[in-house]
Amino acid sequence: MRKECHPLLRGGSKGGGEDGKVYRHRLSSGEMEALASVCEALLPPLPFGDPASYYEGKNEELSGTKAVQSFYQASGAQSGIPDEVADLLVKRAFTEAIILVRVVLWILSTRLGSLLLCGSLCLGDKWPFIHKFSCLPLEKRERVLQWWFRHWFLTPIRLAFLYIKILCVFTFFSRVDENAENPAWKAIGYEVEPAANPEKVPEERPLHKGIIETMYQTDTSLLDSLADKGLKVTHDSKNNLYKIKCDVVIVGSGCGGGVAAAVLASSGQKVIVLEKGNYFTASDYSSLEGPSQDQLYESGGILATFDGKVMLQAGSTVGGGSAVNWSACIRPPDSLLQEWAKDQKIAFFGGSEYVSAMNAVWERIGVTESCVEEGFQNQVLRKGCETLGLAVHFTPRNSSEKHYCGSCGYGCKKGEKKGTDTTWLVDAVDHGAVILSGCKAERFVLAKSYKSGSMRKKKCLGVVAKSLSNNITKRLQIEAKVTISACGALLTPPLMISSGLKNRHIGRNLHLHPVLMAWGYFPDSINSEFKGKSYEGGIITSVHEVVSEDSRPRAIIETPALGPGSFAALCPWESGLDMKKRMLRFSRTAHLITIIRDKGSGVIRTEGRASYELDVSDKENMKAGMRQALRILIAAGAVEVGTHRSDGLRLKCEGIDKEGLEEFLDKVSAEEGPQSLVEKWTPYSSAHQMGSCRMGINEKEGAVDQNGESWEAEGLFVCDGSVLPSAVGVNPMITIESTAYYLSKRLAESLRNQKSSNVGVDFFS
């Protein structure tokens, strides 16, 4: 691992503590003893027999036998792992989840509590007759966990054990030492993608002339930096504020905010962009799963709906989701645009100006429509579809046709992916925009509107923000003619609500494009048709659409990027041995994801606390997609296939006949998450969030109007995926950027007209 990656993305020990790290969780010794015993049961040290017995196929790669032996003997309770799990729990979990887990651990740390949760398994025939959980033999602890993962009545306790499982296996497989290595990686066939040729990786920081990275600033230096960028700043000592004046302030720098910043700055407006994440470039990225998730994703990539149904992933860095997404550039279907134009009465979606917006986006981010060389998982998807006679298409990407990078989800080290951080934001700073990274918006500044004839009772004067750096004590009040919220469907509604806005649609209608995964194992052999490993190659280069008998779209099937930690977190836990066997297959296990256009929706009113409900039709479409994905994997030649359902549903494919296959597929379900009152549950995922501040033709139909302006506050606009009227049904980057382009073009035109006529603010009247 090259040392020149950014320190925040490097990982490794940081000094202090017995293993070189400082821990801040403050769990008691009894809680930690119980936690360590749970972690050990989840990933137990196991005897190592004949190496070949752990593999399928005679020609399985058996190099690194010592590494495999060490892997089997490794434990989830070793080398500070429980302390890291506790740290992650306290840092990332909901307060209620922390309390729940700590209560369960406290109960397990006592003999009577262990009797309550473990039953007869904690009884012995010698004094003290009742043993606490940590004193039970490993096999009994494993049986307790197996029982609780199946238990459907007291689901909160199941949730506590599941949370520990996710954090434990993620930590075990993603943590790295000071050399950026993990002792399990050799055994499971994983290695971090080597650094690209330094001569081909852009070393410059393309936003350098317009960005102020507040993590490196102090109160004094920040004032100087703002002045250097041509901003007028005054110090309000009474309120401990720096007041900054500009024309437009934008909260968020992703697919919505980045595009809006470019369009408005290019039209002559003085633009400030606030981004709570930090700024990284190609030469900064490490491709290390743990530190990259921690720094580049919302809540460190460990975020779920409050009810535990769906794991959520959203970018939190300069460039937002466009910096870490999987590059898919799919235009919204014509049928969807017509639905929005006619049924939702948002006319511009059906017009030529929106087509022009899509074309402009397509060109600016350099979309290509074929792929020179596909990676292992996409080879599998393509082969399976072709064998079954199903249509499969190349996925357009905002990178070159030769782009072969499996780690773009951790930032593109090759510098080839064209997110907003290397396109639209560059255009913005070239036209004088200023980006403040590490700076979080707290509330919009709203005042009473005295404009006669206006239905809006408030007007927005700007935004109050704070730096996340401890070296900056002053808050920032950015005063602007126009304020734009572009911090995504998970963060825009809480920001608007906490600012005092009341529209009933703010935070509702949240769509997630829920995802379930099917997997297939393809042993590596001399005769294997598929070359490479699961984490290599372009992430999404092929797509298959699942349709009904009457050609109605039901789902799309693509391929994901899963590092070892995420892979392990999603895998159903049946036993410690099964988990380790699954991980030994990691590099040759292909995953296919089923994405649906959800009719069900959720609510997000408070930051980090989303709820979500699937519609009945969503579950049926999901089942249809999952069954198709399994057929594709089998047709491609998988020796075993399965799902992530909690019972480990799987099928050995050798000798399976049509009747046996259909019997297996009939067992495939789309059960909800671990909090549902069922024995067999399924973990959902989401990387696409939209609709939570949707457009409407009036305030009864939406949170904003057709121009993206709040129905309640004049001068406050929304320009991100939350304005979309419903779920898109395909990867939404093109839809969000095109919508942002159209809205910001109209806003720029309005501001020009206002300036030339020298009339008071009268947007789109």
Side-chain angles (χ1 to χ4, degrees), residues 215-237:
M215 65 185 293
Y216 302 122
Q217 302 284 330
T218 64
D219 284 330
T220 303
S221 66
L222 177 61
L223 192 61
D224 294 337
S225 296
L226 291 167
D228 288 344
K229 303 297 184 189
L231 293 168
K232 182 180 178 182
V233 186
T234 57
H235 181 202
D236 181 347
S237 57

Side-chain angles (χ1 to χ4, degrees), residues 293-367:
Q293 290 262 79
D294 183 66
Q295 289 295 316
L296 303 177
Y297 286 84
E298 187 66 31
S299 296
I302 302 174
L303 176 65
T305 55
F306 186 68
D307 49 19
K309 290 177 183 174
V310 188
M311 292 296 296
L312 305 171
Q313 286 211 312
S316 184
T317 183
V318 173
S322 74
V324 293
N325 68 17
W326 300 344
S327 303
C329 297
I330 304 177
R331 293 186 185 231
D334 289 340
S335 58
L336 173 75
L337 296 179
Q338 290 306 313
E339 174 189 320
W340 287 350
K342 295 179 180 178
D343 297 348
Q344 304 294 331
K345 297 180 173 59
I346 312 296
F348 73 79
F349 282 116
S352 59
E353 287 184 73
Y354 194 76
V355 174
S356 297
M358 288 192 289
N359 291 339
V361 167
W362 200 262
E363 181 178 356
R364 182 62 188 96
I365 64 176
V367 177

